[in-house]
DNA sequence: TGAATGATCACG
DNA sequence: GTGATCATTCAT
């Protein structure tokens, strides 16, 4: 299991380092394990794409809290988004999990798995992650959602950097390349 | 390209 | 209170 200290770093570092790690969801007796292949960093209060850019509010207060806490919010009236808070207490930053890649499955095709896990709102639906996870630690197993380390080191050449999705309103921050993907994954949400 | 669909935020 | 907006997805 990945420990709290892992998250006590800049969001950009954590976002890259999470690639290749595994998101584990335990529902009843069943365990779903999926490799993280796409993340975005929301780096601090100055980042105009971040919920924290206009100060602390009821919704984003988790981002100001301890590293490794789960930040789940509801958007577009339809979707939940899964984030992990990074950096020291009091500094609002987080990493959005945008896509995960489950192990091959005998019942579902790759195309069907993509529809379930390739996209920030899709994966929360597939893994039954909702607001009840908000402000819970990801560095403990008891809530049924935690992370495991990658199996092998990810070489920098296997990581691709791109602009973040859906942040056109963010002025000069919309063009920051703070989205990170595993190059060889078929499960990236957007090219 | 636009609808779905409701919490959140700024304003006053 | 009200109205605009939204770290998206899906169907047209």
């Amino acid at each position: 299991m990945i420990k709290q200290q892992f998250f006590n770093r800049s969001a950009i570092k954590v976002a890259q380092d999470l690639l290749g790690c595994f998101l584990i969801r335990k529902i009843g007796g069943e365990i779903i394990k999926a490799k993280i292949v796409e993340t975005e960093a929301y780096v601090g209060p100055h980042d105009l794409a971040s919920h924290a850019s206009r100060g602390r509010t009821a919704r984003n207060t988790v981002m100001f809290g301890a590293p490794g806490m789960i930040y789940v919010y509801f958007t577009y009236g339809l979707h939940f988004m899964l984030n992990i808070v990074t950096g020291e207490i009091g500094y609002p930053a987080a990493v959005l999990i945008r896509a995960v890649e489950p192990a091959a499955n005998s019942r579902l095709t790759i195309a069907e798995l993509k529809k379930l896990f390739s996209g920030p709102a899709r994966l929360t639906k597939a893994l039954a992650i909702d607001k009840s996870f908000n402000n819970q630690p990801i560095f403990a197993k008891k809530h049924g959602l935690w992370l495991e380390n990658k199996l092998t080191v990810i070489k920098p050449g296997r990581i691709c950097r791109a602009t973040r999705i859906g942040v056109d309103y963010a002025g000069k921050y919309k063009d920051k390349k703070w989205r990170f993907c595993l190059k060889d994954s078929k499960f990236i949400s957007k090219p």
Side-chain angles (χ1 to χ4, degrees), chain A residues 173-189:
Chain A
Y173 287 91
K174 80 180 167 66
D175 297 319
K176 299 287 185 188
K177 294 195 167 181
W178 288 339
R179 180 161 66 107
F180 303 94
C181 316
L182 281 186
K183 260 184 191 164
D184 47 4
S185 176
K186 298 184 181 69
F187 282 70
I188 305 307
S189 67

Side-chain angles (χ1 to χ4, degrees), chain A residues 38-130:
Chain A
E38 182 178 353
T39 59
E40 281 178 4
Y42 290 84
V43 307
H46 56 289
D47 178 2
L48 294 179
S50 171
H51 289 167
S53 67
R54 280 174 293 190
R56 190 178 190 134
T57 66
R59 177 177 66 168
N60 70 22
T61 190
V62 181
M63 293 182 75
F64 290 78
M69 300 307 278
I70 297 166
Y71 173 44
V72 173
Y73 67 90
F74 186 63
T75 192
Y76 293 106
L78 297 162
H79 304 304
F80 293 103
M81 302 286 189
L82 172 64
N83 302 257
I84 316 297
V85 174
T86 68
E88 61 193 40
I89 290 178
Y91 187 83
V95 172
L96 171 68
I97 310 296
R98 284 195 60 89
V100 297
E101 178 176 328
N105 184 307
S106 57
R107 307 197 324 273
L108 299 172
T109 65
I110 295 290
E112 287 167 332
L113 288 172
K114 265 196 78 166
K115 263 189 210 158
L116 290 174
F117 292 96
S118 177
R122 290 173 172 179
L123 70 92
T124 55
K125 187 178 176 203
L127 297 174
I129 294 167
D130 61 21

